[in-house]
Amino acid sequence: YLLSAALLIAVCVSAKAQFSLGIKGGINYSRINNDDLHCSSVAGYQAGAFARIGGGVYLQPELYLSSTGGNFHSDDNNYTAHVRFTNLNVPLLLGLRFGPKNLNFRVMAGPIYTSVLSQDKTFSQNFNVAYNDFGKYNNSTLGFLAGAGVDLGAITADFRYEGNLTDINSNFGQRQNLWALSVRFKIL
């Protein structure tokens, strides 16, 4: 906590009143890795808001809804499952911006807290018999984000990887990860 507070203070002091606020939207491809079954990715969305505080070094808190999940099947395809989550995501990114004023390139990384708002799970009829407790997912996870972006005036684009530091279901070593591409519009 002390390191986070020190970084926040350092970024705010160096910000020199540089502040922007905006909306974001994008797509993601998420996957839930596990120890026992084959898995595949599903497409989802992201929509929300962001703020950016700072100049060359910046802090970027965000708040957005997302749709994530995964598909699973056994070696013989006798057991299948489809899982979809609607999440509230709260990342806090530390970034580095470089380039001319109206064309910035950025790299960023930081923690993300994800709260599961709803779950939609579909299992084959015999799935729960073979994999008891498979669909008992946690209500929240802690993860990390890392990525790169470009700013062209008031329009920005980011490409990111998100990984989980905590299991979404510890019984089967299930961890969700995703790749996301988003576009943002600065309104302030």
Side-chain angles (χ1 to χ4, degrees):
Y1 292 116
L2 292 176
L3 180 59
S4 297
L7 285 173
L8 178 61
I9 291 168
V11 168
C12 290
V13 168
S14 68
K16 298 179 185 171
Q18 293 182 14
F19 175 81
S20 60
L21 183 68
I23 57 173
K24 69 174 271 182
I27 59 170
N28 65 52
Y29 292 95
S30 61
R31 177 183 179 121
I32 301 173
N33 296 316
N34 68 82
D35 297 336
D36 298 332
L37 297 168
H38 299 284
C39 47
S40 61
S41 299
V42 297
Y45 67 87
Q46 297 181 346
F50 75 97
R52 194 175 296 156
I53 307 159
V57 175
Y58 64 89
L59 187 67
Q60 184 169 303
E62 298 181 359
L63 179 68
Y64 60 90
L65 289 174
S66 69
S67 172
T68 60
N71 294 315
F72 309 97
H73 64 88
S74 61
D75 286 335
D76 58 6
N77 285 326
N78 283 336
Y79 307 110
T80 60
H82 174 78
V83 178
R84 172 83 60 187
F85 302 109
T86 300
N87 307 307
L88 180 64
N89 302 284
V90 185
L92 181 60
L93 303 172
L94 183 63
L96 177 64
R97 180 173 35 200
F98 50 92
K101 182 176 181 176
N102 289 323
L103 178 64
N104 293 305
F105 298 96
R106 297 175 287 105
V107 292
M108 79 285 293
I112 180 169
Y113 172 77
T114 300
S115 177
V116 177
L117 301 176
S118 68
Q119 302 177 21
D120 180 21
K121 303 177 281 192
T122 306
F123 299 109
S124 62
Q125 189 171 12
N126 57 356
F127 191 93
N128 284 334
V129 173
Y131 297 97
N132 192 23
D133 292 335
F134 189 87
K136 297 196 187 306
Y137 293 106
N138 297 330
N139 291 327
S140 63
T141 60
L142 183 61
F144 64 91
L145 284 173
V150 62
D151 298 341
L152 183 57
I155 299 172
T156 74
D158 284 355
F159 184 67
R160 299 179 181 172
Y161 175 78
E162 178 184 327
N164 267 351
L165 299 172
T166 57
D167 292 340
I168 195 157
N169 180 339
S170 56
N171 293 338
F172 290 89
Q174 295 181 58
R175 287 188 184 222
Q176 184 168 255
N177 58 54
L178 64 86
W179 291 96
L181 179 63
S182 62
V183 176
R184 297 165 164 50
F185 299 97
K186 296 178 190 174
I187 51 179
L188 283 181

